[in-house]
């Protein structure tokens, strides 16, 4: 296990390596931000004072508006604040009704905790980073004022690394704090000598309170030889969280987390390193050209409105360009009349090119899909009808949505589950939900997460469309060969199509209950058939006069005629 000096040196050296690998990306992100998100264009070209000069070189806002539409659409249709969008479910193998009800109750509590925390403001900014930069990082921990506290790390301030399975397991970020902020965050006793002196000087004179100091925050998975698994304190938790004051190489905090506390994801993963490619990256050529084209069209429109004039030298100072103005000329010299000059640009062609490039940018940001969802909100269409309308657009969006569930939402919701159960926000789990680990110790396994947002349901309903088309084709065949229907698992189809349409899972009967109901029904039918056969036999025997009244068959006959 490293001592404090070794740990600080290791963190700073690892940070330098990761920052060097990230450096080429900073330049790309800077350009993407300048066209699509100017308020975050402080990556490789930082400015000490706020200003609006970045907007002065922009002549078209299509890329900015499209990025905002994608970010807002993901918030509204993937993680909406005003409706349920996820459900905790028991792990596979746990089929108890009590366990299902407990997980459903936990889902309701977690949804409320998210709504009352800063989650939705931070996830919104995360979606902006996803739309423009293609890479994002969201952090969650137990808060002081609220059970959950989220933080979205700004692109250009953190570096990431993957494990051998392409999962991001390491994040080093840079943050700047004043001496007083550092004292509040880490405790004055945990600061370096130089920082403690700075705090004392600020408190004594008030001077230097705005000076920022750079810290490195390292989050990574600890190796087994770096921790004592029998201890539950911060330095021995599975996930390390180490803060180092860069100038003094001083460890201000060495702590950790029980589960992964950050969720770094990519819109589409790049082939060059652990970072991602965004819709803005794909729209960047059109954004550059559209910006130039709009600038030229504005100039042409200005020329059309205020045309250039070719004037004879004899009229200098005598041309009146005011509305209703009068300019005198010599009619004996027709060539001396002022006239327009070089105003023949084709404005309509420019507008057509502009429209095509705007459409290309909007397609890259899936604007048409979210506009469709907004229009469907005003109708009473089923999830299947929505999927029918949206199938082509959803196919294009599906890969990035799947990556968000695996890299961002599912691990984040499982971390939230762990934080809330440790803080006592959930009711005690039923015994049916408890399992045993390899050592025989009782553990509560991670829940499964199911998504019920509009986008999730529309994607799942596409399977229902496939079923409808398949059944339509096979209906004709089934009229001739009914046994063709034996190829389908009807119970699986019935349950999955119900889930795809958003039916709550607790509305479906347990599979074991279905089997019991079918067995009871089959037994009742068998008894009825047996009784019918005995009655038939009794009637035949009665006609022969050979049935004894005290026999089982005779008693059955008497009951039938009573």
């Amino acid at each position: 296990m490293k001592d404090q000096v070794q740990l600080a040196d290791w963190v700073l050296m690892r940070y330098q390596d990761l920052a060097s690998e990230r450096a080429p990306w900073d330049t790309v992100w800077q350009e993407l931000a300048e066209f699509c998100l100017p308020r975050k264009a402080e990556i490789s070209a930082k400015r000490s004072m706020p200003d609006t000069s970045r907007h002065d070189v922009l002549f078209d806002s299509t890329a900015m508006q499209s990025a905002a539409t994608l970010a807002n659409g993901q918030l509204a249709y993937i993680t909406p604040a005003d409706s349920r969008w996820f459900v905790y479910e028991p792990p596979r193998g746990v089929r108890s009704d009590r366990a299902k009800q407990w997980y459903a109750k936990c889902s309701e509590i977690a949804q409320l905790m998210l709504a009352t925390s800063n989650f939705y403001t931070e996830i919104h900014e995360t979606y902006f980073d996803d739309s423009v930069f293609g890479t994002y990082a969201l952090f969650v921990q137990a808060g002081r004022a609220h059970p959950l506290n989220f933080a979205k790390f700004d692109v250009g301030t953190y570096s990431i690394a993957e494990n051998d399975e392409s999962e991001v397991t390491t994040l080093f970020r840079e943050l700047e704090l004043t001496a007083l902020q550092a004292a509040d965050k880490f405790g004055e006793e945990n600061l370096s000598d130089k920082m403690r002196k700075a705090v004392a000087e600020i408190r004594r004179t008030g001077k230097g309170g705005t000076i920022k100091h750079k810290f490195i925050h390292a989050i990574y998975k600890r190796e087994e030889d770096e921790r004592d698994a029998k201890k539950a304190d911060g330095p021995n938790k599975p996930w390390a969280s180490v803060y180092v004051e860069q100038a003094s190489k001083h460890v201000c905090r060495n702590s950790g987390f029980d589960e992964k506390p950050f969720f770094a994801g990519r819109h589409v993963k790049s082939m060059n390193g652990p970072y991602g490619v965004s819709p803005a990256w794909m729209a960047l050529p059109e954004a550059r050209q559209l910006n130039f084209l709009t600038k030229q069209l504005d100039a042409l429109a200005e020329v059309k409105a205020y045309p250039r004039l070719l004037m004879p030298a004899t009229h200098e100072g005598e041309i009146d360009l005011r509305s209703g103005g009068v300019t005198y000329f010599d009619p004996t010299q027709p060539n001396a009349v002022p006239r327009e000059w070089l105003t023949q640009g084709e404005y309509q062609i420019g507008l057509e090119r502009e429209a095509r490039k705007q459409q290309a940018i909007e397609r890259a940001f899936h604007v048409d899909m979210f506009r469709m969802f907004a229009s469907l909100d005003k109708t009473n269409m089923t999830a299947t009808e929505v999927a029918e309308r949206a199938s082509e657009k959803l196919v294009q969006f599906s890969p990035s949505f799947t990556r968000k569930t695996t890299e961002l939402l599912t691990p984040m919701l499982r971390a939230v589950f762990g934080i809330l159960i440790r803080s006592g926000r959930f009711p005690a789990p039923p015994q049916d939900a408890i399992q045993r680990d390899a050592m025989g110790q009782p553990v509560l396994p991670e829940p499964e997460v199911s998504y019920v947002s509009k986008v999730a349901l529309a994607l799942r309903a596409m399977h229902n469309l496939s079923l409808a088309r398949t059944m339509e084709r096979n209906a004709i065949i089934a009229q001739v060969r009914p046994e063709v229907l034996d190829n389908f698992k009807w119970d699986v189809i019935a349950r999955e199509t119900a889930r795809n349409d958003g039916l709550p899972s607790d509305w479906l009967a347990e599979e074991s209950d279905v089997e019991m109901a079918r067995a009871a029904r089959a037994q009742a039918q068998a008894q009825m058939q047996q009784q019918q056969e005995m009655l038939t036999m009794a009637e035949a025997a009665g006609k022969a006069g050979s049935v004894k009244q005290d026999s089982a068959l005779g008693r059955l006959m008497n009951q039938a005629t009573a």
Side-chain angles (χ1 to χ4, degrees), residues 35 284-294 353 357:
F35 280 100
L284 185 58
E286 280 79 14
R288 289 193 192 110
Q289 295 172 29
L290 181 59
N291 195 61
F292 175 77
L293 179 59
T294 303
R353 291 185 62 206
K357 295 185 183 303

Side-chain angles (χ1 to χ4, degrees), residues 207-404:
K207 186 178 180 180
T210 60
I211 297 175
K212 297 291 185 70
H213 304 270
K214 192 171 183 178
F215 294 81
I216 305 302
H217 183 197
I219 309 173
Y220 57 92
K221 195 167 187 178
R222 285 192 172 104
E223 301 293 339
E224 292 301 321
D225 60 353
E226 292 184 307
R227 56 185 288 259
D228 185 347
K230 297 178 181 179
K231 296 181 180 180
D233 58 339
N236 290 289
K237 288 188 178 292
W239 288 88
S241 175
V242 182
Y243 287 87
V244 176
E245 182 190 336
Q246 188 176 32
S248 63
K249 298 184 179 182
H250 175 79
V251 176
C252 300
R253 178 183 294 167
N254 180 14
S255 185
F257 298 92
D258 293 292
E259 59 269 310
K260 184 180 174 182
F262 74 92
F263 319 101
R266 289 69 60 97
H267 188 88
V268 177
K269 191 176 181 301
S270 169
M271 296 295 293
N272 301 313
Y275 300 98
V277 177
S278 66
W281 191 310
M282 292 180 277
L284 185 58
E286 280 79 14
R288 289 193 192 110
Q289 295 172 29
L290 181 59
N291 195 61
F292 175 77
L293 179 59
T294 303
K295 177 182 178 181
Q296 298 300 100
L297 284 176
D298 287 348
L300 179 57
E302 190 172 339
V303 168
K304 290 286 187 180
Y306 305 99
R308 303 181 184 96
L309 296 177
L310 192 63
M311 297 183 297
T314 56
H315 283 62
E316 183 176 0
E318 299 178 4
I319 304 299
D320 190 348
L321 297 177
R322 295 174 301 175
S323 176
V326 177
T327 299
Y328 297 94
F329 70 96
D330 186 350
T332 62
Q333 298 183 21
N335 292 331
V337 177
R339 62 182 183 273
E340 292 184 11
W341 180 58
L342 295 180
T343 59
Q344 291 79 26
E346 186 56 59
Y347 192 76
Q348 187 59 38
I349 293 177
L351 289 179
E352 293 172 0
R353 291 185 62 206
E354 188 178 54
R356 287 198 298 269
K357 295 185 183 303
Q358 288 172 337
Q359 291 169 3
I361 292 172
E362 291 180 346
R363 283 196 302 270
F365 284 99
H366 306 283
V367 170
D368 50 350
M369 186 185 76
F370 290 108
R371 283 177 178 166
M372 177 206 65
F373 275 114
S375 63
L376 293 179
D377 282 346
K378 302 174 183 178
T379 64
N380 295 321
M381 298 181 69
T382 65
T384 303
E385 290 170 327
V386 170
E388 189 73 54
R389 292 275 301 275
S391 58
E392 181 180 353
K393 299 177 179 65
L394 284 167
V395 166
Q396 300 295 322
F397 185 72
S398 176
S400 64
F401 174 76
T402 301
R403 185 173 283 277
K404 281 181 184 62

Side-chain angles (χ1 to χ4, degrees), residues 523-537:
Q523 183 178 3
Q525 290 173 347
Q527 290 176 349
M528 290 179 63
Q529 183 177 0
Q530 183 181 15
Q531 291 178 359
Q532 186 63 41
E533 291 175 353
M534 292 178 68
L535 283 172
T536 303
M537 293 172 59

